[in-house]
Amino acid sequence: MDHPNAVDQLKLVRAAIDRAAEEAGRRPSEVTLVAVSKTFDAEEIRPVLQAGQRVFGENRVQEARAKWPGLREEFAGIELHLIGPLQSNKAREAVQLFDVIETVDRASLAAELGKEIARQGRAPRLLVQINTGEEPQKAGVAPGEADVFLAACREQWGLAVEGLMCIPPADEPPSPHFALLRVIAERNGLQTLSMGMSADFEAAIQVGATHVRVGSAIFGHRG
Ligand SMILES: *Cc1c(COP(=O)(O)O)cnc(C)c1O
């Protein structure tokens, strides 16, 4: 079955990213679109790959394992991001499957990732998830604990963390959360900011996002 719609939507989202970057006085090439393909199958993802998109996000290890090794055989240059919570006992597989893990959020996981990276000789890029809204049900390091956790990642577990990721509370204006993420990144010398989703990626670009994670605006509603 054909899905011209996702390709049309992809073009609109890319144009909106470029426009938002220019309005913020930034170069469009500074913002990477992570197309969030969770719940969509290979047949629905393939046209988006054919249209040139190469960076994708998935939130489950098991689902990524089912879809992406096959797509990687068909298309060169894919960059796959893990954007969902990672259990420590899946760290081995996550290091095998993903190019970027955006959800490092606790000591036990950081320790396990350090071990697996050394064992496999394969080093995905790593982001630490910050729970900017300090929501009890949400994953992520509390803002007040971020500096200590980032230092421990470096010094205790040998992890080269590249940046930060956040998911603001659904019921609050997102920009203050984006700004908080940026402040934490700046004082820790980190370059990468993964923030902004379908509803608010333009606001995130205004505040300095280097990666926006956009799902439903490209692939449509998730069933
Ligand atoms: C699903 C998801 C997204 C994409 O959300 P949309 O609103 O569909 O763009 C972004 N980030 C994370 C962490 C997600 O789980």
Side-chain angles (χ1 to χ4, degrees):
M1 193 175 147
D2 206 20
H3 288 267
N5 198 38
V7 171
D8 290 346
Q9 290 303 117
L10 173 72
K11 288 182 185 146
L12 290 174
V13 168
R14 301 188 79 92
I17 289 171
D18 291 359
R19 205 161 47 236
E22 273 156 17
E23 276 168 14
R26 304 178 60 203
R27 283 193 304 274
S29 61
E30 292 171 31
V31 183
T32 299
L33 169 61
V34 181
V36 176
S37 49
K38 64 188 185 196
T39 78
F40 294 95
D41 61 23
E43 279 59 50
E44 295 165 292
I45 298 168
R46 200 172 280 115
V48 173
L49 278 157
Q50 281 160 346
Q53 177 66 24
R54 283 296 180 272
V55 184
F56 290 85
E58 289 283 344
N59 67 336
R60 289 171 193 275
V61 172
Q62 198 174 339
E63 186 182 342
R65 183 211 305 139
K67 294 193 297 202
W68 286 96
L71 289 168
R72 282 193 200 268
E73 284 179 16
E74 290 177 55
F75 297 91
I78 288 171
E79 180 180 302
L80 194 59
H81 291 228
L82 177 63
I83 61 170
L86 179 57
Q87 293 170 273
S88 298
N89 64 10
K90 299 240 175 83
R92 175 164 300 180
E93 206 175 357
V95 168
Q96 286 163 1
L97 278 170
F98 291 95
D99 303 294
V100 182
I101 297 174
E102 298 202 10
T103 51
V104 181
D105 66 350
R106 61 196 188 280
S108 56
L109 175 60
E112 204 53 38
L113 287 171
K115 237 188 281 173
E116 279 306 320
I117 288 167
R119 202 184 68 88
Q120 297 185 33
R122 176 181 155 82
R125 292 153 54 202
L126 301 174
L127 309 185
V128 166
Q129 183 175 353
I130 306 292
N131 186 359
T132 57
E134 305 196 55
E135 296 172 279
Q137 81 285 8
K138 201 168 270 178
V141 177
E145 290 162 14
D147 297 3
V148 168
F149 182 73
L150 286 162
C153 282
R154 227 176 8 251
E155 290 153 21
Q156 252 177 281
W157 304 301
L159 300 177
V161 173
E162 170 185 304
L164 305 178
M165 176 271 223
C166 76
I167 309 169
D171 56 353
E172 289 181 29
S175 289
H177 295 273
F178 298 152
L180 174 58
L181 198 71
R182 180 180 174 154
V183 166
I184 297 170
E186 279 175 351
R187 71 171 180 244
N188 285 282
L190 301 173
Q191 312 300 326
T192 299
L193 288 173
S194 173
M195 56 191 197
M197 317 199 298
S198 290
D200 54 20
F201 66 87
E202 284 142 314
I205 290 167
Q206 184 67 40
V207 183
T210 62
H211 291 69
V212 292
R213 309 177 308 268
V214 179
S216 49
I218 297 169
F219 290 102
H221 197 65
R222 287 182 289 273

